[in-house]
């Protein structure tokens, strides 16, 4: 691979030509601002890489999970980082007849995109990805790569039942494992996190630490959801339908034994 090929191919094939964003997005100021900041940083990376003798290595040992002011417990001793993904999907909720009640969380559905290399090499770019990815509707996003970042799908996230968030990281490209999980710890997302699409929404869902359940494969032991953008429901069921979805994006960090 030629120097800087990966960052260009992995992040920004569109940087030096006009990106073709969906017309629904182009006129929206919040999106324009978020994207222009993102592409400016990508452009700086590409320039920097052009002056390097070789492209930076994607060394997972150097990747550092983002910390929040109220911290989650660290990964258990002896575990190593296996994969970092950007999750883009929805949090699902239900409401009954009681309009003053809080919506009930039904779980989440998300597509996971391979961000391991970005995590190890460009943490500042990684930290922007959930906020930027949130601005695109799933239907706007290519089925195979998360545009405009060109991140390949590395798996899918769903709930097997109400208490079993599940990650299927076995794809045609690579079998990283299957991880039915149980929630272990939860902290409120830091102030300043993206509240929702177009900066409208009810805020980010919490950061989480999950432990894998029996049946996990690929050595997967612990999963973190961090740097969350959006996903929270309104405080009450006033005006809400029986079931509804709230768009979200997040970083998922997978640890193996
Ligand atoms: C509706 O929900 C609110 C908030 O949870 C609760 O205080 C109230 O008792 C509920 N009303 C009925 C009729 O269940
Ligand atoms: C959430 O909504 C999606 C899309 O409608 C649906 O496919 C999924 O089954 C729902 N998941 C849950 C846990 O309700
Ligand atoms: C996403 O879809 C919703 C509902 O169709 C629409 O209101 C919203 O404008 C769309 N957002 C973007 C970023 O295209
Ligand atoms: C993720 O991307 C890296 C390099 O960008 C690659 O080495 C790795 O195989 C990919 N993993 C998956 C699951 O696609
Ligand atoms: C949900 O699935 C887990 C894992 O299979 C199981 O241990 C748990 O009992 C299930 N919970 C319910 C309420 O069915
Ligand atoms: C979280 O996991 C640790 C072990 O890793 C366990 O000691 C603790 O009880 C768990 N806490 C919750 C709330 O599940």
């Amino acid at each position: 691979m030629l120097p800087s090929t990966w960052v260009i191919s992995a992040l920004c094939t569109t940087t030096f030509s006009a990106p073709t964003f969906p017309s629904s997005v182009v006129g929206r100021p919040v999106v324009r601002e978020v994207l222009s900041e993102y592409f400016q940083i990508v452009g700086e990376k590409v320039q920097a890489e052009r002056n390097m003798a070789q492209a930076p290595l994607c060394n997972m040992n150097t990747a550092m999970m983002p910390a929040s002011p109220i911290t989650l417990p660290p990964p258990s001793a002896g575990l190593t980082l296996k994969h970092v993904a950007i999750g883009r999907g929805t949090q699902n909720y239900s409401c009954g007849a009681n309009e003053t009640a809080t919506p009930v969380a039904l779980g989440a559905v998300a597509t996971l995109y391979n961000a391991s290399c970005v995590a190890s090499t460009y943490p500042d770019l990684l930290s922007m990805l959930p906020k930027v990815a949130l601005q695109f509707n799933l239907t706007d996003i290519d089925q195979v790569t998360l545009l405009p970042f060109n991140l390949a799908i590395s798996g899918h996230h769903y709930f097997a039942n109400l208490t079993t968030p599940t990650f299927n990281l076995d794809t045609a490209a690579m079998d990283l494992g299957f991880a039915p999980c149980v929630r272990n710890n939860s902290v409120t997302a830091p102030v300043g996190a993206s509240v929702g699409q177009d900066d409208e929404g009810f805020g980010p869902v919490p950061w989480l630490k999950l432990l894998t359940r029996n049946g996990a494969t690929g050595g997967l032991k612990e999963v973190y959801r961090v740097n969350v953008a959006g996903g929270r429901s309104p405080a009450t069921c006033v005006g809400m339908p029986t079931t509804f979805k709230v768009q979200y994006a997040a970083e998922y960090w997978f640890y193996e034994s």
Side-chain angles (χ1 to χ4, degrees):
M1 199 188 261
L2 292 171
S4 80
T5 304
W6 89 258
V7 73
I8 294 172
S9 63
L11 292 172
C12 56
T13 32
T14 50
T15 305
F16 297 114
S17 55
T20 49
F21 300 124
S23 55
S24 59
V25 164
V26 170
R28 296 154 64 223
V30 173
V31 182
R32 276 208 313 265
E33 189 183 317
V34 167
L35 285 181
S36 67
E37 188 187 353
Y38 174 78
F39 278 102
Q40 184 184 330
I41 293 181
V42 170
E44 288 165 10
K45 305 296 186 203
V46 172
Q47 277 314 118
E49 284 204 357
R50 285 187 169 163
N51 298 323
M52 291 176 192
Q54 60 180 53
L57 296 171
C58 300
N59 179 357
M60 296 296 274
N61 296 330
T62 62
M64 296 268 291
M65 186 163 54
S68 64
I70 319 161
T71 56
L72 290 165
S76 298
L79 299 187
T80 54
L81 181 62
K82 178 166 197 169
H83 184 60
V84 179
I86 297 296
R88 178 68 181 85
T90 62
Q91 299 283 326
N92 296 7
Y93 297 94
S94 70
C95 276
N98 184 349
E99 290 216 316
T100 56
T102 309
V104 174
L106 294 180
V109 181
T111 306
L112 303 171
Y113 298 89
N114 181 3
S116 289
C117 222
V118 191
S120 63
T121 313
Y122 297 126
D124 51 346
L125 274 186
L126 180 79
S127 68
M128 300 180 78
L129 287 178
K131 180 171 75 171
V132 181
L134 181 63
Q135 305 303 328
F136 294 87
N137 275 337
L138 294 173
T139 49
D140 298 335
I141 294 173
D142 187 282
Q143 293 303 298
V144 184
T145 57
L146 179 60
L147 296 173
F149 324 109
N150 296 336
L151 299 181
I153 288 177
S154 57
H156 293 92
H157 173 44
Y158 58 92
F159 273 62
N161 68 23
L162 286 179
T163 57
T164 311
T166 301
F167 301 86
N168 185 349
L169 298 178
D170 290 336
T171 62
M174 194 170 272
D175 290 346
L176 293 183
F178 177 78
C181 294
V182 61
R183 186 182 285 210
N184 179 252
N185 224 293
S186 163
V187 297
T188 307
V191 173
S194 177
V195 298
Q197 279 191 332
D198 247 350
D199 266 357
E200 290 167 5
F202 304 97
V205 282
W207 294 22
L208 298 178
K209 177 178 182 178
L210 310 172
L211 309 180
T212 60
R213 293 179 183 268
N214 289 340
T217 63
L220 293 167
K221 295 290 181 211
E222 299 182 354
V223 183
Y224 287 77
R225 178 179 81 189
V226 298
N227 203 4
V228 183
R232 208 192 290 165
S233 73
T236 71
C237 283
V238 173
M240 299 311 292
T242 318
T243 60
F244 61 95
K245 296 178 280 184
V246 181
Q247 303 290 323
Y248 89 107
E251 294 170 23
Y252 287 95
W253 291 62
F254 298 89
Y255 289 84
E256 67 181 341
S257 57

